[in-house]
Structure formats: structure tokens, C-alpha cells
């Protein structure tokens, strides 16, 4: 559904069978993907998954071992970073400490030999775009972390690149500032309409900011989808547990009708899943596990409100987060507890460890895995 | 608590005594330079600037100073340029036998100077080269380059590699990046390398003693004069001038090091880069 | 530069083999040379031990008790080192001499009745002078090693019940060992080959191997023998340094595990 948000967007970057080896280590094992013009695209994965290497190859700092990278319909083989229509915001920001803020922002423009007035105007505009109007004469080393990030962004945007590459740009900021910058970055990207490619290991950041996310593990893209689809329909357990929290339960198919597959799930009992709930190519006998998100289960207090299905268990741990409470509940017939999150709405009591919990869930929130 | 304070005091006392030990000879130098007696001993007999005046009229000394300047300036420039390449190469690239090669380059740092002097002398004789100030420069470059590499390596190590990448990414060429980003950022290191190698070369005796031909450098001149007690006071005066010069150079070197630290947004009082 | 470097080593060996090994035989068997070699080693070992022992408290002081002015302290420690080596050694001669500063001061204070004569023109004078000359080379590596010690380790040791002395010997000292070893090697190697100090303040019983090397190259005009002496001493010192290095590494490992 979100996939079709920009139906006519053309391809700006085409990655075709890109691999990268460092000595005997294969950092990227064949990446094929297309990135659309004007989208906010994220490369998400744990450290060492190859996401930064891929970004650096798009920027032109590394060459692919095999495969081709095409940017704006031009193959990039043999084209160095200084001739590519991409600009990068570095993880360390790489603000030139010996230059002023204005000279940093105008660094790349200098080569174009603009008239002085035009140069000044462009730098001012770029600074204004990132809310740093009037900061031009300041010495770069006097800036705070968030300001450095903005300067780095202005320095890239002033080049009017086809693609802006962001290498973990928010990882050096504290949480409050990071939350704010996530929204600002997103808004800025929308308003300039330039393709942004973000590398991050923070799944929340990727979900909040991106149009589409490529989840990478061990040098491969495991899943490329919109944030919602990634969360709702992770293709495998690895993706499922990397994006958010997922409770896994053993399961087995016991029968299949025209419309449904019947599963026997640990602790939850018999559950019918429509065929459409199975990922493409998966047969009922492939199913060995199902997953339920913590918020898809409800602890029913005082009998109300009711749920489609109810099972019982014992609360083993309660973690109070203010707006939310996370429970560990050992469901009857299950060794390891499952995690259930509840919104702390007005008047709702918090259960203590040792109390018995009635857990409700809907069968359509169940995700099947191999 | 009182125990701790006590220990701290002992350490303070020791530190002061040690500094006295370190500075004892240095302090004596100007004292005897201004002492009117020709005998270098206490008690002092009176104040004079006569010995400094003597320096002005000693032709041999002037030659030695000229020679030393030629040697030290050449050494400083050559070893800093070599050090710049080596430090940049080590900081950015990995190449085969890197450790081995760097070990070999840094070896003169820990080799007794007499061995370097002797070995160079043999090579030069073997090659049939005659000894001159340039052979001294060669020897000095050999011992100064490791210092230069050490100073510049720390400058390069403090340089975030993404600085150069950022410049390149913004459309600059390799040369333009070096000119606009790399060089300005390691400039303080370059200056302190120049100053340090200059100072080492200016003070070096053994290699100059072995490798020089008829032209003598300042330390060799001083050595030859130490034999004549009558010349000693003016040597003290000369030493005082050298001391003042060196201290000024060192303060300059320190100033540039600190400025580079400040530029990088570091606390200027950190010891990073000093060692 | 590397090329030149390898070149002369190589070249040198070529030269030597063509002259037969007689020089080495002489260098190793003649009692005079052997005596000088052993004396050089003995003196430099004493110098090294004295220098490192004297340097450690200073490095410790600057690293642990100086907070605001570390750079200034290091600067002050290195300044004397940058003044002319020749003149510094000469000034020690002035200080330690029969009518020197030290003797006249002690006489003046009435602490001694006649000038001390055991402090100049012998091995003691060489030790004192070299300990002074190489002080920064010992202080700096130890200081760096001490600076690298994570201060929370010491707090952890304290927290686990160690007093200051115990935590010093159980935490600080073992962790500072690499610096101490570096200091030892850095001081040991060049002092064996020092020429000026023994020549100026060593008298006849303080002379060392490098003075003989110089004599062979100069007055005696026997360069190959001088070279043989130089190479021999280089190998001996190199061997000892490696020995120190590996021995301490082994001990360090054993202690750490």
C-alpha cells in the first residue's frame, strides 16, 4: 500500500549484483536493489553487516569487487568521488576545523568560481535551510554537535547533489536532540525533494524517517520494504527480532483447507491462518514457528474488554516505563516467558509478579516463520 | 587522609629536587657567561659582558655558525619533507612489510650515534665520496627523520580520515584536498617538526665530528675550544646564546602544537601530540 | 632513506668479510677491548637503572598528582635536554670538579673538610652525567604508560579493598611496565655508545667502548677494527634489549593471566 506511494518515481540509483571483498573476507555478497528519486531510503543493520561499505561504494570511496552501480542512468565504474552527483554527511561530520562555518559550507562551491555575491548568497541560503542563518563567520570548532550536523548537511545540500548520503549522522547526538533531528531531517528531505540514503543501526530511527528500508545482515539485504511492511510482515526471524520485539512460539501445521491453514501453536493452542498470511513460496509444512508482537497481546484485567482468544499465565516480571508497562508472562504450557506491552491508560492497574494474568490476542496478529 | 597527604608531599619534594638536578647545568651556563673571571669555578668574581664581545670578533666561530646554519636548515627541510611522506603513508595506507620498513626507518632513533657515524663513514669512504658539510647533512637527516615522522604521525593520527574524504566528496581533487585541507591541518606538526629537527641538527656532535671535512659545525668548534681554558668563558657566552635561542624555538614549537590542538577543538592543555 | 640505510649495513658487511674475521677475533679476545666492552655495559646498565628509578616518581607525580599543568611540566622536563649536550656534559665537569660547584658548596657549608675526589674522572661521574642527559627519555615513556592507565581501575582496586601501596604494586606498576621497559631500552642502547660523556668526565677509568672506536678510526687508523668493535657492541646491546623485552613480556603475561 505504502509501496505505491510514489508510483511514477524513476530510479536514481541501481545496484546490480554488487559485491565487495577485503582480502578473503566478503563484506558484501551480491546486493541488487533500486533506489527511487526523491525517496528517503535507509540501510539498516547491525555493525559489520556491510551497510557502511555499500554507502561508501555509492559515494565512490570504495570500488565494488564485482557488480555495477548506476547513478542517474550513468554507470559509476571508474568515476571517482569528486565527480559523482552524490554528497556525504559523515559520521564524524568532518567539519574542517581550520575554516569558518561559511567556508565549510561553501567549500565545494569554490571550485565553481561563482561571482562573490552569488557565492555569498548561496552559502547564506544553505545555512538558512538548516536554521543556522548568521552562523557563517563563526569558527567551526565552536559549534555544538547538533550544529556540526547541520553544517555538514548544508555543505552537502549546497552542491545540489542527486543523492545525499548520510553515514549514521545522528549517532553522536544525545537522545533528545536525536529525536528532534530525526523529524527535522525528514522534513528537510521532503522540502528539498533530494534522495537521501541513510545508514543506521537504530531500527527506530529507520522506521521513523524512511520511505523504504533495506535490512542488511552479513553483507546481504534480507528484506527491502516500507517501515510498516517490515514491522508487520518480517520475512524471517532475524528481521523480526531486529525490528522491534517479537515473541516466538513453536508451531506446526495440522491441516489445510481451501482458505486456511490450521496450526497447533505452543501455549496458544489451535489457530487458523488464511493462506494469504503465508509469505510467498511458503508451504504449510514449512511452518515451525509463529511470532506475536508484545503490543498485539493484551492483559485482560477485571474481565474487560474481551478478546478473540484468551490464555492464562503467571506474571514473572513487571517493568514500568511510565507510559507503558512491559510484562514477562509465563503462559501455561510454556517454559520461557513472553513479553507483553500495555499502555498505561487512566485507571488501569499494574499487575505484580506472581499474579495470574489472562492474556488476550487476535489470531490475525500472528506471523508465521519457517 | 593524612597519610595520603604526607605521601603527596614527599613526592612534591622529590619532584622539586629532581628539577634542580635537571636544571643545575643549565642554570650555571649563563652564570659563568657573565662572570668576569676566566676560571670556570666559584666563587664568582664579577659581572661582565666581555665574553659576548669576544664572540663578535672570532672569525672561526662565525664560519662554524654559518656551516651549522646551512647543515641545520637543510637537515630540517629534508627530514621534514621525508617525514611528511612517510607519516602520511603510514597513516593512510597499509603496504607490505610496513612494520619492517618503519622499524628500519625508526632504527636510528635508538642506535648509538657513534655507530651511525661509523657506518656512514665507511659507506662514504667505500663510495669514494669526500667528506663535506653535505655528508653531515646526510647523517643528520638519517637521525632527524625518525623524530620528524614521530611528530608528523601524531599530527596525521589526529586528523580524521573523513576530512580528506569530505573534501574529495565535495568535488576537490587529490592535490586540492592536500592544499586546502590536509596541509593546513598538519601545518602545526610541520612547523614543530622543522623546529625540532633544526634543533637536533644544530646540537649534534658525533656525526658532525666524524663526517665533516675541513668545515666544522658549531658543536665541533665548541669541542675544539673546550681544550683551551682561556676560551671557556666565551664558550659559556656562546652556550648562553644557544640556550636562549633553543628555548625560544621550543616555546614556538609548543605554541604551534597547542594551536593545532585548539583548532581541532581539543583542550589545549592535553598532552596529546607532545609525545 | 631506507635504501641508504640498508645499503650501508649491507655494504659494511661486504667490506668486513673481505678483510677476514681477524678484526672480530681481536675485538672479542683482546683483554683491553673486552674490559672496555664490559665496562661500557656495566656503566650503561647502572645508568639505565639509576635513570629509570629516578624517572619513575617524576613521571608518576606528573601523571597522577599534576592536573592542570601537565603539558607545562613535560615542557619543563624536556627543556634542559634541548640545550647543547656538549655544554651540559662540560658543565657537569664544572659541577663535579675538584674545585667545582658541588665541592665548593659543600666546603662552604662545612659539610666536608676537603673536596670529594670520587665524583669526577671516573665511572661515577659518567653515571651521574648520563642519568641527567637521558632523563626525559626515561620519563616520557613511563609517563605515557601511566597516562594510559584507566583511573577507574585504581578505584576498582581501592573498592576491592587494596590500600594505596598494594594497589600501586598490583595495578599501577604492572600496567606501567611497558613504559618502564621502553624507557630501559631507550636509555640503555644509546648510553653504551656514548662518546662525549666518558671522554669529558670519565678520566681514564671511565672511558668506554665508543672512545676506543673513535681512537681506532682516528689516531690508530684501524677503521676495520673500529668497525668490528662498533658492530660487536651493537649486537651485544641489541641482544640485551631483546632479552629485556621478551623477559618482561613473559613476566607481564604470566602476571596478567
Amino acid at each position: 500500500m505504502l509501496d505505491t506511494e510514489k508510483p511514477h518515481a524513476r530510479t536514481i540509483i541501481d545496484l546490480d549484483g554488487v559485491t565487495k571483498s577485503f582480502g578473503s573476507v566478503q563484506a558484501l555478497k551480491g546486493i541488487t536493489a533500486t533506489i527511487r528519486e526523491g525517496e528517503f531510503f535507509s540501510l539498516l543493520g547491525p555493525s559489520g553487516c556491510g551497510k557502511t561499505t555499500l554507502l561508501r561504494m555509492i559515494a565512490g570511496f570504495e570500488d565494488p569487487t564485482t557488480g555495477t552501480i548506476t547513478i542517474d542512468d550513468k554507470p559509476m565504474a571508474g568515476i571517482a568521488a569528486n565527480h559523482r552527483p552524490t554528497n556525504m554527511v559523515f559520521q564524524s561530520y568532518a567539519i574542517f576545523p581550520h575554516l569558518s562555518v561559511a567556508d565549510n559550507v561553501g567549500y565545494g562551491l569554490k571550485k565553481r568560481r561563482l561571482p562573490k555575491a552569488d557565492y555569498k548568497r548561496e552559502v547564506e541560503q544553505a545555512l538558512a535551510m538548516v536554521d543556522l542563518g548568521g552562523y557563517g563567520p563563526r569558527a567551526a570548532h565552536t559549534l555544538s554537535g547538533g550544529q556540526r550536523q547541520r553544517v555538514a548537511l548544508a555543505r552537502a545540500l549546497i552542491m545540489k547533489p542527486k543523492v545525499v548520503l548520510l553515514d549514521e549522522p545522528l549517532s553522536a547526538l544525545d537522545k533528545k536532540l536525536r529525536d528532534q533531528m530525526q523529524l527535522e531531517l525528514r522534513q528537510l528531505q521532503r522540502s528539498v525533494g533530494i534522495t537521501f540514503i541513510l545508514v543506521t543501526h537504530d531500527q527506530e530511527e529507520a522506521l521513523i524517517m524512511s520511505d523504504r528500508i533495506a535490512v542488511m545482515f552479513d553483507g546481504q539485504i534480507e528484506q527491502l520494504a516500507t517501515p510498516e511492511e517490515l514491522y508487520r510482515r518480517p520475512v524471517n526471524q532475524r528481521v523480526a527480532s531486529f525490528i522491534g520485539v517479537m515473541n516466538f512460539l513453536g508451531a506446526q501445521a495440522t491441516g489445510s483447507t481451501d482458505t486456511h491453514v490450521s496450526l497447533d501453536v505452543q501455549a496458544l493452542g489451535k489457530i487458523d491462518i488464511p493462506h494469504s498470511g503465508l509469505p510467498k513460496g511458503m508451504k504449510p509444512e514449512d511452518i515451525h514457528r509463529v511470532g506475536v508482537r508484545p503490543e498485539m497481546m493484551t492483559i485482560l484485567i477485571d474481565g474487560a474488554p474481551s478478546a478473540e482468544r484468551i490464555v492464562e499465565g503467571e506474571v514473572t516480571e513487571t517493568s514500568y516505563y511510565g507510559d507503558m508497562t512491559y510484562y514477562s508472562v509465563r503462559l501455561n504450557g510454556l517454559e520461557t516467558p513472553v513479553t507483553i506491552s500495555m499502555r498505561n491508560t487512566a485507571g488501569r492497574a499494574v499487575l505484580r509478579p506472581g499474579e495470574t494474568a489472562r492474556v488476550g490476542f487476535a489470531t490475525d496478529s500472528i506471523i508465521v516463520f519457517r | 587522609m593524612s597519610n595520603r597527604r604526607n605521601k603527596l608531599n614527599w613526592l612534591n619534594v622529590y619532584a622539586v629536587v629532581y628539577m634542580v638536578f635537571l636544571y643545575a647545568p643549565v642554570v650555571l651556563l649563563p652564570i659563568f657567561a657573565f662572570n668576569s673571571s676566566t676560571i670556570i669555578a666559584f666563587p664568582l668574581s664579577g659581572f661582565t659582558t666581555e665574553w659576548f664581545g669576544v664572540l663578535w670578533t672570532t672569525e672561526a666561530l662565525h664560519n662554524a655558525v654559518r656551516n651549522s646554519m646551512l647543515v641545520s636548515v637543510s637537515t630540517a627541510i629534508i627530514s621534514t619533507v621525508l617525514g611528511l611522506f612517510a607519516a602520511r603513508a603510514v597513516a593512510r595506507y597499509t603496504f607490505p612489510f610496513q612494520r619492517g620498513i618503519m622499524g628500519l626507518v625508526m632504527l636510528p632513533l635508538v642506535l648509538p650515534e657513534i655507530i651511525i657515524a661509523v657506518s656512514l663513514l665507511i659507506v662514504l669512504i667505500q663510495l669514494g665520496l669526500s667528506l663535506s658539510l653535505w655528508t653531515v647533512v646526510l647523517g643528520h637527516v638519517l637521525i632527524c627523520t625518525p623524530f620528524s615522522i614521530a611528530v608528523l604521525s601524531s599530527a596525521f593520527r589526529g586528523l580524521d580520515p573523513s576530512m580528506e574524504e569530505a573534501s574529495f566528496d565535495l568535488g576537490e581533487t587529490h592535490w586540492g584536498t592536500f592544499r586546502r585541507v590536509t596541509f593546513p591541518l598538519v601545518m602545526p606538526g610541520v612547523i614543530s617538526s622543522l623546529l625540532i629537527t633544526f634543533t637536533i641538527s644544530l646540537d649534534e656532535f658525533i656525526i658532525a665530528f666524524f663526517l665533516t671535512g675541513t668545515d666544522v659545525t658549531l658543536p665541533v668548534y665548541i669541542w675544539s675550544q673546550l681544550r683551551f681554558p682561556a676560551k671557556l668563558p666565551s664558550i659559556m657566552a656562546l652556550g648562553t646564546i644557544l640556550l636562549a635561542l633553543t628555548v625560544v624555538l621550543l616555546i614556538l614549537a609548543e605554541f604551534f602544537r597547542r594551536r593545532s590542538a585548539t583548532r581541532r577543538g581539543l583542550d589545549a592543555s592535553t598532552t596529546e601530540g607532545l609525545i | 632513506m631506507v635504501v641508504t640505510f640498508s645499503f650501508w649495513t649491507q655494504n659494511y658487511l661486504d667490506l668486513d668479510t673481505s678483510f677476514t674475521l681477524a678484526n672480530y677475533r681481536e675485538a672479542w679476545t683482546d683483554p683491553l677491548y673486552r674490559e672496555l666492552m664490559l665496562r661500557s655495559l656495566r656503566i650503561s646498565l647502572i645508568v639505565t637503572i639509576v635513570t629509570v628509578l629516578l624517572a619513575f616518581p617524576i613521571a608518576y607525580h606528573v601523571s597522577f598528582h599534576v592536573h592542570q599543568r601537565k603539558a607545562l611540566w613535560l615542557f619543563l622536563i624536556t627543556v634542559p635536554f634541548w640545550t647543547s649536550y656538549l655544554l651540559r656534559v662540560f658543565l657537569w665537569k664544572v659541577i663535579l670538579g675538584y674545585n667545582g660547584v658541588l665541592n665548593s658548596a659543600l666546603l662552604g657549608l662545612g659539610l666536608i673538610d676537603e673536596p670529594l675526589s670520587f665524583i669526577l674522572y671516573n665511572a661515577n661521574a659518567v653515571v651521574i652525567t648520563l642519568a641527567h642527559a637521558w632523563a626525559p627519555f626515561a620519563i616520557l615513556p613511563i609517563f605515557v604508560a601511566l597516562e594510559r592507565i584507566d583511573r577507574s581501575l585504581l578505584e576498582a582496586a581501592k573498592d576491592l579493598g587494596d590500600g594505596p601501596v598494594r594497589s600501586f604494586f598490583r595495578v599501577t606498576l604492572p600496567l606501567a611496565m611497558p613504559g618502564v621497559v621502553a624507557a630501559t631500552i631507550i636509555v640503555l642502547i644509546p648510553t653504551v655508545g656514548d662518546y662525549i660523556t666518558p671522554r669529558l668526565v670519565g678520566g681514564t677509568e671511565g672511558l668506554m667502548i665508543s672512545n676506543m672506536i673513535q681512537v681506532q678510526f682516528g689516531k690508530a687508523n684501524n677503521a676495520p677494527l673500529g668497525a668490528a668493535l662498533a658492530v660487536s657492541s651493537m649486537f651485544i646491546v641489541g641482544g640485551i634489549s631483546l632479552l629485556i623485552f621478551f623477559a618482561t613480556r613473559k613476566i607481564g603475561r604470566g602476571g596478567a593471566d
Side-chain angles (χ1 to χ4, degrees), chain C residues 25-252:
Chain C
R25 206 171 306 133
E26 197 176 345
W28 284 85
T29 51
D30 190 309
L32 172 66
Y33 301 140
R34 208 188 316 176
E35 161 65 18
L36 271 178
M37 192 78 84
L38 286 175
R39 184 196 289 162
S40 296
L41 279 177
R42 198 178 60 238
I43 291 179
S44 7
L45 279 173
I46 296 171
V47 168
T48 308
I49 293 167
V50 168
T51 312
V52 171
L53 282 183
L54 288 179
F56 194 93
I58 286 295
Y60 184 84
H61 176 71
V62 176
S63 177
F64 281 77
H65 296 313
V66 177
H67 302 291
Q68 310 272 305
R69 305 192 168 275
K70 276 187 187 171
L72 181 69
W73 269 87
L74 293 179
F75 184 65
L76 286 178
I77 286 167
T78 42
V79 164
F81 161 74
W82 293 108
T83 60
S84 169
Y85 182 50
L86 216 54
L87 287 173
R88 260 185 297 152
V89 177
F90 179 77
L91 285 159
W92 274 110
K93 189 171 159 178
V94 173
I95 294 174
L96 300 173
Y98 193 76
N99 294 317
V101 175
L102 190 63
N103 272 330
S104 43
L106 290 176
L107 279 172
L109 289 171
L111 288 172
I112 50 170
D113 297 329
E114 53 183 281
L116 304 169
S117 56
F118 64 88
I119 48 175
L120 188 63
Y121 295 130
N122 56 28
N124 293 336
V126 176
V127 171
I128 294 174
T129 310
L130 287 176
H132 175 264
W134 291 93
F137 287 89
I139 296 174
L140 291 182
I142 298 174
F143 170 77
V144 171
L146 288 172
E147 276 296 279
R148 286 200 185 134
I149 297 175
D150 185 348
R151 296 303 190 263
S152 60
L153 289 177
L154 299 176
E155 284 167 3
K158 208 175 186 180
D159 185 57
L160 295 169
D162 267 1
V165 177
R166 276 175 74 87
S167 78
F168 175 81
F169 282 106
R170 289 176 62 185
V171 180
T172 315
L173 195 58
L175 288 174
M177 264 336 256
V180 173
V181 173
T184 306
I185 293 173
I186 288 174
V187 174
L188 180 68
I189 294 176
T191 48
V192 174
D194 194 72
Y195 172 79
I196 300 173
T197 302
R199 181 71 199 280
L200 279 179
V201 301
T204 44
E205 51 165 312
L207 282 182
M208 285 162 66
I209 194 73
S210 55
N211 304 94
M212 184 49 73
I213 295 174
Q214 197 273 331
V215 167
Q216 293 300 339
F217 272 89
K219 277 184 209 136
N221 204 11
N222 190 351
L225 178 58
L229 288 172
V231 170
S232 306
S233 49
M234 193 172 85
F235 275 111
I236 291 173
V237 178
I240 291 176
S241 309
L242 284 179
L243 216 66
I244 295 174
F245 182 70
F246 284 112
T248 45
R249 204 161 76 159
K250 210 159 194 183
I251 295 167

Side-chain angles (χ1 to χ4, degrees), chain B residues 12 14 22-23 110 123 203 243, chain C residues 8 54 61 76 83 132 189:
Chain B
N12 273 334
Y14 177 81
L22 275 186
Y23 275 83
V110 290
V123 175
D203 185 40
L243 171 66
Chain C
W8 60 250
L54 288 179
H61 176 71
L76 286 178
T83 60
H132 175 264
I189 294 176

Side-chain angles (χ1 to χ4, degrees), chain A residues 56-115:
Chain A
R56 290 172 58 81
M57 288 201 302
I58 295 171
F61 296 126
E62 318 262 358
D63 293 321
T65 307
T66 61
T68 55
I69 297 174
T70 310
I71 303 178
D72 199 20
D73 299 329
K74 282 187 273 296
M76 284 293 129
I79 297 180
N82 52 345
H83 297 298
R84 293 193 181 193
T86 58
N87 285 108
M88 183 126 151
V89 173
F90 290 82
Q91 184 169 18
S92 62
Y93 307 142
I95 302 298
F96 305 127
H98 58 301
L99 301 179
S100 68
V101 169
D103 285 341
N104 261 285
V105 173
Y107 187 91
L109 279 190
K110 279 260 163 72
K111 283 244 97 173
R112 295 187 187 163
R113 306 198 184 285
L114 297 174

Side-chain angles (χ1 to χ4, degrees), chain B residues 37-265:
Chain B
S37 167
T38 50
I39 304 158
I40 304 295
F42 282 107
L44 303 171
S45 52
F47 180 85
T48 180
T49 52
E50 181 195 342
W51 311 122
F52 289 90
V54 172
L55 297 177
W56 283 115
T57 55
T58 317
E59 190 63 32
L61 169 68
H62 297 172
N63 282 331
V65 169
R66 254 196 305 279
N67 292 339
S68 262
M69 280 297 150
L70 175 72
V71 169
S72 306
V73 169
S74 316
T75 302
I77 294 172
I78 297 173
S79 36
T80 300
V81 169
L82 290 176
L84 201 57
F85 288 131
R88 163 71 217 230
V90 171
R92 288 295 174 273
Y93 309 112
T94 47
F95 44 89
F97 309 115
Q98 184 170 8
R99 284 178 66 99
I101 291 172
M102 284 320 289
L104 212 55
V105 173
M106 299 308 261
L107 196 57
L109 207 57
V110 290
L111 227 46
E113 285 187 357
I114 189 144
I115 293 188
I116 297 172
V118 165
S119 318
L120 269 175
L121 185 62
I122 291 170
V123 175
L124 292 170
I125 292 170
Q126 281 294 96
L127 293 174
L129 294 172
S130 60
L131 298 178
S132 69
L133 288 177
W134 293 108
T135 51
V136 179
V137 171
L138 179 69
H140 282 184
V141 166
L142 204 61
I143 55 161
C144 285
T145 306
F147 283 95
S148 174
I149 293 175
V151 170
L152 291 167
S153 292
S154 83
F156 274 110
R157 227 180 297 132
L159 181 69
D160 180 356
S162 49
M163 290 290 172
E164 290 179 352
E165 284 180 353
S167 163
F168 201 49
D169 186 60
L170 291 165
E172 246 327 334
T173 57
H174 281 294
W175 167 243
T177 297
F178 183 79
R179 192 174 54 83
R180 289 178 70 191
V181 174
T182 318
F183 194 69
L185 288 179
V186 296
M187 191 62 192
V190 170
I191 291 175
S192 30
S193 162
L194 283 172
L195 292 173
I196 286 172
T197 50
F198 176 83
T199 316
I200 293 172
S201 169
L202 193 63
D203 185 40
E204 203 288 328
F205 168 69
I206 283 285
I207 290 176
F209 186 55
F210 269 79
L211 296 184
T212 191
T214 48
D215 299 320
V216 295
T217 63
L218 203 51
V220 179
Y221 172 78
I222 293 175
W223 175 259
S224 70
Q225 299 299 298
L226 286 179
R227 269 181 259 158
F228 309 113
K231 299 280 179 65
L232 285 177
S234 59
I235 292 297
M236 292 291 133
L238 178 61
T240 306
I241 295 174
L242 285 178
L243 171 66
L245 187 74
T246 330
V247 169
V248 169
L249 286 183
L250 282 176
I251 289 174
L252 275 178
E254 174 69 7
F255 170 76
F256 280 108
R257 191 190 68 77
R258 284 186 179 219
R259 203 170 71 167
S260 91
T262 325
R263 271 189 176 179
R264 286 197 225 118

Side-chain angles (χ1 to χ4, degrees), chain A residues 217-231:
Chain A
F217 286 103
D218 302 331
Q220 277 170 317
I221 294 180
E222 298 269 300
Q223 190 170 6
L224 199 171
T226 62
E228 194 182 343
E229 197 181 334
L230 267 186
Y231 192 81

